Amino acid sequence: FDREGIAVTKSDEEFRKLGVRAAMKELKISKVTLLRMVLTIKNQIHRRLLEYPPSSPLKKVLPLLHRHARLYVLSTNKRDNIEKYLAQYGMIGYFEEIVEDHSYFGKSSGLSRIQLDHHIDPRDMFYIGDESRDVDAARKAGCHSVAVLWGYEGKKPLRARNPDYIFRHPQELLKLI
């Protein structure tokens, strides 16, 4: 991120352990700068998304979850990108709907929209996410928060948000059924 004047010296793994907010503080960047960085990263991800297959354990768990629950995708990524990805990896049929939400510091409005549109009692809803803000969004929307450790943030920042569940492996999602 040279053009932002930000020198990143920590490894990806070290930033995962910190979490987004702590990394912002350590790098001394504003939300505006973070937004520019996120947009740059997202553009790179969008161009190369199809090159990164989902984990094999997750692909095995999805059919089982789908049999027992209605599944939705809530993402800041574009719907067509997600649809292409799910189609390429044989997972498109598992989800009721893909909902775009572009609010970087909270997806609670997207969760509430899913609850209203699909008549879901928040107490019957589990939001699975890999970032602290996902845990916060679930809490704000009144649903259960499920933090997963195979994604972006590490155990320390996720545990600090006090999720209802924290899982290390995709197979553990089956405990929710």
Side-chain angles (χ1 to χ4, degrees):
F1 293 97
D2 293 336
R3 74 173 188 228
E4 298 289 348
I6 298 167
V8 178
T9 56
K10 289 195 174 295
S11 70
D12 288 343
E13 187 61 30
E14 289 176 285
F15 277 116
R16 282 187 72 239
K17 290 177 185 173
L18 284 175
V20 174
R21 286 184 172 90
M24 282 177 57
K25 286 180 186 174
E26 181 157 319
L27 293 171
K28 297 178 178 70
I29 58 174
S30 68
K31 289 181 182 178
V32 172
T33 300
L34 177 65
L35 179 60
R36 282 197 302 266
M37 291 172 67
V38 166
L39 291 174
T40 299
I41 291 167
K42 286 182 103 179
N43 285 333
Q44 292 171 2
I45 289 171
H46 291 176
R47 285 195 305 267
R48 300 187 66 196
L49 179 67
L50 298 177
E51 297 173 26
Y52 298 98
S55 73
S56 179
L58 182 60
K59 279 192 74 173
K60 290 177 183 172
V61 165
L62 273 178
L64 298 169
L65 290 173
H66 173 69
R67 271 189 233 141
H68 298 280
R70 293 183 291 167
L71 304 177
Y72 301 84
V73 173
L74 175 63
S75 177
T76 57
N77 205 322
K78 293 184 185 289
R79 178 177 310 168
D80 59 330
N81 289 339
I82 296 167
E83 287 173 348
K84 287 177 193 173
Y85 183 86
L86 294 173
Q88 177 168 324
Y89 293 108
M91 301 184 304
I92 194 91
Y94 298 125
F95 299 95
E96 301 269 330
E97 183 180 3
I98 297 166
V99 178
E100 285 185 48
D101 188 283
H102 299 290
S103 173
Y104 186 75
F105 282 103
K107 294 181 184 174
S108 60
S109 61
L111 291 171
S112 296
R113 192 168 59 242
I114 291 170
Q115 292 165 356
L116 288 172
D117 291 351
H118 298 280
H119 310 288
I120 300 170
D121 184 327
R123 295 170 296 186
D124 295 332
M125 186 176 197
F126 295 82
Y127 183 46
I128 301 166
D130 63 352
E131 296 182 46
S132 301
R133 65 189 178 117
D134 296 327
V135 175
D136 296 339
R139 187 170 291 114
K140 189 172 181 183
C143 60
H144 302 277
S145 58
V146 182
V148 298
L149 298 179
W150 59 87
Y152 180 72
E153 285 187 344
K155 185 177 183 177
K156 185 178 178 182
L158 288 171
R159 189 172 298 284
R161 303 309 304 158
N162 296 313
D164 296 311
Y165 302 88
I166 189 161
F167 295 145
R168 187 176 300 280
H169 302 287
Q171 297 88 335
E172 291 176 279
L173 293 170
L174 297 174
K175 295 176 183 177
L176 301 174
I177 297 175

